[in-house]
Amino acid sequence: EEWLSEAEVIVFVGTSFAVRLPEVALEHARTAGIPVYNFNTFDMLEPSVSLNCSNIRGKSEVTLPLLLQEVEELQMKLDHPEPLLNSKIISSDSRPPRLRRSSRRRRPKYES
């Protein structure tokens, strides 16, 4: 509960929202006005007046490295001395390579 009370953003990855923890987190997001990002291929959230959410549809092997890239770029802009995200969470061996934007690669769909 402590980590949830300190959250500024909530990110869901591949959940069906069928268990209790996502429901608790969503309720907290609604009452606290915290933005929610749902990385999923199937189960999408419905944005509403009380729930500020964005659905990012796509496979996690495509969308999560893009999220990491965005967080790293934000870190650089904010000039954080320590990483906001530990890349070991993504891969125990090494960070995934930075993705190059290409017209050949299918981009994830962003929905609000």
Side-chain angles (χ1 to χ4, degrees):
E1 291 180 12
E2 183 180 332
W3 64 266
L4 188 57
S5 68
E6 296 174 3
E8 295 178 18
V9 172
I10 298 175
V11 176
F12 292 105
V13 179
T15 184
S16 65
F17 301 99
V19 293
R20 182 78 180 125
L21 184 56
E23 279 303 315
V24 170
L26 284 172
E27 186 56 37
H28 178 70
R30 285 183 190 101
T31 58
I34 297 172
V36 173
Y37 296 89
N38 175 34
F39 288 74
N40 218 318
T41 56
F42 184 72
D43 295 300
M44 299 293 121
L45 293 171
E46 189 67 37
S48 67
V49 172
S50 63
L51 182 62
N52 174 12
C53 70
S54 297
N55 292 295
I56 297 86
R57 185 184 304 262
K59 293 184 176 185
S60 60
E61 59 266 22
V62 174
T63 59
L64 293 182
L66 291 171
L67 173 62
L68 176 62
Q69 183 177 336
E70 292 295 323
V71 169
E72 288 175 338
E73 289 173 7
L74 180 60
Q75 275 181 229
M76 291 173 63
K77 286 180 184 175
L78 297 175
D79 198 30
H80 282 277
E82 295 181 24
L84 294 173
L85 182 66
N86 182 349
S87 59
K88 291 179 186 172
I89 294 171
I90 303 297
S91 168
S92 59
D93 298 327
S94 64
R95 283 187 13 219
R98 290 181 69 87
L99 297 176
R100 290 189 178 93
R101 300 181 198 271
S102 154
S103 59
R104 290 182 10 212
R105 194 178 78 237
R106 191 171 159 184
R107 301 280 298 159
K109 251 177 145 171
Y110 295 89
E111 301 174 0
S112 297

